[in-house]
Every structure is written in C-alpha cells, then in structure tokens.
C-alpha cells in the first residue's frame, strides 16, 4: 500500500484545499497521472501521483483544507510495499517550515485538518484575477461559464455574470464529515479548528500570496548565504540571429529574446551542474535533470515560478511553446504539481521595464537564481576600438554553501559562450 | 476601417490582455505598455491580435515605433488599405 499525501508544491506551501478528485476508488493510476486538483495560496494545481497501482481508498473530501504531508488517499501498489513519498525532499522542507511556527497551526504529519465546509467546487480553470474578483463579489465560480482557453474563467466572465447574479447567494455544500482512517482510529484529540481568518482565505488571495512569498523569501534570506556575480553580455550575435530567424516565421511563431537566454542558461548548467539542484539537510544535491523555473508575474501582483521541464533538451521553438503554455496556464489555471515542485534553478527576466541589473533572492531549496535586465545599447570596447552594442547584464545569485564564486564565474562564462553561438542553441 | 473602428479593435485586444484595465482611458500619447503593465510576452500577443483581427503583420523591427495610440492608429490605418 502506498499513501498518497498532500504534496508540498513549493517550500512556501503549508496546506492546500482539495478542489476535486480526478480519480475514484478502483481506478488504475500510473506515475505522473493527475489525480486531484488542489487549490494553494497561489493557484489551482493538478496533483500527480508518483506510483503505479489502484486507488484503494479516498480519504480527503473536496472542500477540505489539508496540511502538507497529510494522507489524502491510499493506493494499492503492485509490490504491496510502501512506496516512496513523492518529493521527499521538499516535503521535509515544508514540514520544517511548519515546525518553525508559521501562521498555520503546526500539524503532526499523520493528523488531518478538520473538514471545513467550503463552496462545492467542480473542476474549473480560473485566472487568478477572476478568482479575486469573484471572491470580492461573493460569486460562486461554479455558476460562471468561462470563455477563455479550455473554458477557463476570465475576469470578463466574472464581470458579465456579476452584473446579473450578484445578489444571489452562493450555493453551499453541506458539511462533509471526515472519514476515519485506520491510522486515525487511535488518534488523540482532534486538531484545533482553523482560525476564522483561514476560513475566509478564499476571499483574500492577495494576502495568501504575499504570505506564501514572505515565508519562502524570509527563509531564503535567513538561511542562504548568497553571493552575487554579474557579467555584461554582448547580445549582438544572438539578436542578429534571432531577427533573421523571426523574419522567416509567421508572427505567431516568433521567438522572444528571452528564449535563447533560457536555452543558454540550460546549456551552461550542463557545463556547470553544481548550480543546478538543491541544498537540503546540509548537503548539496546536484540534479541531473535541468528543470528551469521561470518567474511569471501575475497581473494583480505576486508571482509564480513554474518549471520548464528538461529545458536543455528542448529546441528554441519547443521552449517558446513551453513558455507560452506555462504563462497561459499560470494566468488562467491548470498548472501541474510537477511544474510547481520540480524546478532545479530559477530564471527571472526583469528587462521589460528597463531594469539594468537583477539581484535575485534564491528560491529555497534551490542553490541559484539567474537574473536578466534590459538589453540596452551601450559603449563597448574591443580590440582597442570603441563601438555601440546591445548589452545585457546577466547576474547570478548563488548559495555559497553549495558553490564558490569560481564555479559561478565558470557558469557566467559558459552562458556567454553559448549566447555567442546562437545557431547552436 | 476608420480610426474609431481601429481604436475599438485595439481596445478589445488590450482588454483581453489586461482585463482589469480600461483602455478607453488611455491618452493618445501615453505609453501603452507602461500604463497597462504589458510585458514582452503580452506585447507579442498584442501584435498577434492585430494580425488576426486586422490582417496587419507588424515586423519585429517596427515594435519600437509603436508605443502610443497616436503612433499605432495611423500606422495601422495606412496598412489596412
């Protein structure tokens, strides 16, 4: 038997609300199947399983808030042995965070939070802004027809609906009692009910988002001894090459300048793998897969950094598609748990508004963050000649526990080398 | 398509990209990307939208000239024919 537990979808997550099961008892599941939709402080995420087997028992009910690490279902595995808990490392992280006394009452991993009656939810994709709007206007999202991609609900859908149904009360589901699990039969007292403020968390996404970011970033600054390196990159070859590539393409297939940067970072991480991975339990864990977290700002504030999986193996067109897909799903709903947990490094691009240099804060337990500023025409001296070139400031924020400045310098040098040969990207 | 119709299409595309905004309040010389907080990804979507709705394909080299309504509207009207 394997226990399917609420995964940690990032070191800033303490709990999630089960929106919907995508499987029922008796269903066969395999690795990476999405089995449930969970609402976190940041977004609704499709949760994947990491073992093969048959769903034996479903323990958590839609609407319930569930602490990270709590059992949600039992899976009968072929071997019958207890399978590995997914994302062991990050799970541990989150429980440490819990133990450190964050704003939510610390729960024993084996315990389950009490059931809190919530609005019955079916599987709906909602943009974060639409969600906030709906919460502000007390509109039940399940009553709204979405017109976005895959029927996703956008702000305009909420606005259109609220014009007519704003006075109708939201449908409430009856309170669902928790099913007793064998494990809990002998359990002591029930955990304390969540504070009233928690119950209204759905109405305050901004607060929840800020709290999640606060927890991760405060931990980063508290624990990670950052060092910073920066390098001016001459972008002439990359941009010239990209311009000629884009001329050959219909407008829909044009590649944004950030895409070769992402590919350059991925290839440079192959050369210097020490910057790709985690620092967990006083140990540096280098990741073989290069899953590049890409920071996406949400229009209403806050950010999500979902991962482009195996970024080094994708060509520029595939990377552009992957990035487009991630941005759309980040803003309209439908990210998968692996995209939330598997990032091994993060890239942030703040050049759009003219920022020259980014001094990044590493997303724990990762060990590096690469920042890009705006590409600007600047004087550039080479071979005794002064010219004007498009110059981009690349910065590396890295964890000094995992690497030293020398490795970091090798990484930036490799990045520069790859960008000077754009046709090989 | 007259200038008002062009403006209407532009507002429709912008509203899709920035649903919380009210593009009709944009001043003619206001920088649209900055005022509506549009990143390079959404800027590309804006140009894709112009291509789909009006059949005007803006080459990359012209992106930089098209920052305000007073720059975009004449550019489009001279190309719609």
């Amino acid at each position: 038997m394997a226990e399917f537990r609420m995964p940690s979808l990032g070191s800033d997550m303490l709990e999630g609300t089960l929106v919907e099961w995508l499987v029922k008892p008796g269903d066969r599941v395999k690795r990476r199947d999405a089995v449930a939709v969970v609402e976190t402080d940041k977004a609704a995420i499709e949760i994947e399983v990491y073992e093969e087997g048959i769903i034996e028992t479903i323990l958590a009910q839609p609407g319930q808030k569930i602490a990270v690490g709590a059992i949600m279902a039992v899976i009968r595995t072929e071997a019958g042995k207890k399978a590995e808990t997914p994302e062991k490392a990050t799970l541990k992280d989150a429980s440490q965070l819990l133990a450190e006394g964050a704003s939510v009452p610390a729960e024993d991993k084996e315990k389950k939070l009490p059931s809190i009656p919530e609005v019955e939810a079916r599987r709906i994709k909602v943009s974060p802004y639409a969600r906030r709007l709906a919460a502000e206007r007390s509109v039940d999202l399940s009553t709204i027809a979405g017109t976005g991609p895959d029927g996703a609900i956008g702000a305009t859908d909420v606005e259109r609906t609220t014009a007519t149904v704003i006075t109708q009360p939201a449908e409430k589901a009856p309170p669902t009692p928790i099913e007793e699990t064998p494990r809990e039969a002998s359990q002591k007292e029930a955990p304390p009910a969540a504070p009233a403020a928690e119950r209204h968390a759905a109405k305050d996404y901004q607060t929840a988002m800020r709290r999640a970011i606060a927890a991760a970033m405060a931990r980063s600054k508290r624990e990670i001894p950052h060092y910073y390196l920066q390098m001016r990159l001459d972008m002439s070859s990359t941009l010239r090459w990209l311009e000629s590539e884009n001329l050959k393409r219909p407008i829909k297939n044009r590649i944004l300048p950030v895409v070769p940067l992402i590919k350059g970072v991925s290839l440079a991480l192959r050369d210097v793998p020490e910057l790709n991975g985690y620092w967990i339990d006083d140990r540096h864990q280098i990741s073989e897969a290069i899953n590049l977290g890409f920071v996406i700002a949400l229009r209403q504030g806050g950010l999500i950094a979902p991962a482009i999986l195996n970024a080094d193996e994708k060509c520029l067109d595939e990377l552009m598609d992957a990035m487009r897909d991630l941005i759309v799903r980040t803003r309209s709903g439908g990210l998968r748990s692996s995209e939330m947990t598997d990032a091994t490094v993060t890239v942030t691009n703040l050049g759009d508004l003219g920022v020259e240099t980014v001094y990044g804060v590493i997303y724990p337990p990762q060990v590096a963050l690469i920042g890009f500023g705006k590409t600007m025409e600047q004087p550039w001296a080479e071979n005794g000649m002064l010219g004007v070139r498009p110059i981009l400031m690349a910065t590396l924020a890295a964890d000094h526990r995992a690497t030293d400045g020398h490795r970091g310098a090798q990484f930036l040098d490799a990045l520069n080398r790859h960008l000077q040969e754009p046709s090989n990207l | 398509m007259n200038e008002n119709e062009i403006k209407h299409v532009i507002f429709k595309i912008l509203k899709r990209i920035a649903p919380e905004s009210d593009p009709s309040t944009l001043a003619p010389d206001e920088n649209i990307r900055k005022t509506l907080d549009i990143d390079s990804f959404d800027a590309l979507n804006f140009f894709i939208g112009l291509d789909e709705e009006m059949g005007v394909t803006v080459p990359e080299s012209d992106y930089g000239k098209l920052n305000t309504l007073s720059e975009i509207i004449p550019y489009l009207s001279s190309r719609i024919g």
Side-chain angles (χ1 to χ4, degrees), chain A residues 129 155-156 159 242-243 246-247 251-252 254-258 297 299 320 323-324 327-328 331 349 352-353, chain B residues 15 17-20 33-34 36-42 44-45 47-48 51-52 57-61 63:
Chain A
Y129 178 65
T156 45
E159 280 171 351
L242 189 64
E243 199 181 323
N246 279 342
L247 272 178
I251 187 163
K252 278 197 127 159
R254 280 183 197 163
I255 293 173
L256 287 170
V258 71
R299 292 201 61 81
M320 181 70 200
M323 193 182 81
R324 176 184 298 282
I327 294 176
V328 168
R331 291 179 177 164
N349 173 32
D352 279 342
L353 280 171
Chain B
K15 184 80 184 162
I17 289 169
E20 78 287 359
R33 283 184 64 162
K34 288 192 178 166
L36 301 187
D37 191 13
I38 289 174
D39 61 16
S40 49
F41 172 74
D42 278 333
L44 176 59
N45 286 338
F47 291 119
I48 291 173
D51 184 53
E52 285 170 348
T57 307
V58 178
E60 244 184 331
S61 48
Y63 286 1

Side-chain angles (χ1 to χ4, degrees), chain A residues 21 26 53 66 75 122 176 207 209 240 246 293 311 321 330 346 361 377 383 413 424:
Chain A
W21 282 106
I66 300 156
I75 299 171
R122 65 187 156 80
T176 330
T207 309
M209 168 76 80
R240 208 172 328 136
N246 279 342
D321 288 345
T330 299
T346 300
V361 183
E377 291 208 318
N383 302 324
D413 179 59
N424 295 335

Side-chain angles (χ1 to χ4, degrees), chain A residues 218-244:
Chain A
R219 178 180 159 207
S220 174
K221 282 284 182 175
R222 194 169 56 234
E223 293 178 6
I224 302 178
H226 287 64
Y227 70 87
Y228 302 93
L229 303 175
Q230 64 182 48
M231 188 183 264
R232 292 172 80 208
L233 305 178
D234 176 4
M235 292 296 287
S236 310
S237 335
T238 312
L239 292 181
R240 208 172 328 136
W241 177 83
L242 189 64
E243 199 181 323
S244 69

Side-chain angles (χ1 to χ4, degrees), chain A residues 284-300:
Chain A
H284 187 191
Q285 300 176 9
I286 296 171
S287 165
E288 206 161 298
I290 297 175
N291 300 330
L292 192 142
F294 181 71
V295 177
I296 298 171
L298 301 175
R299 292 201 61 81
Q300 73 280 13

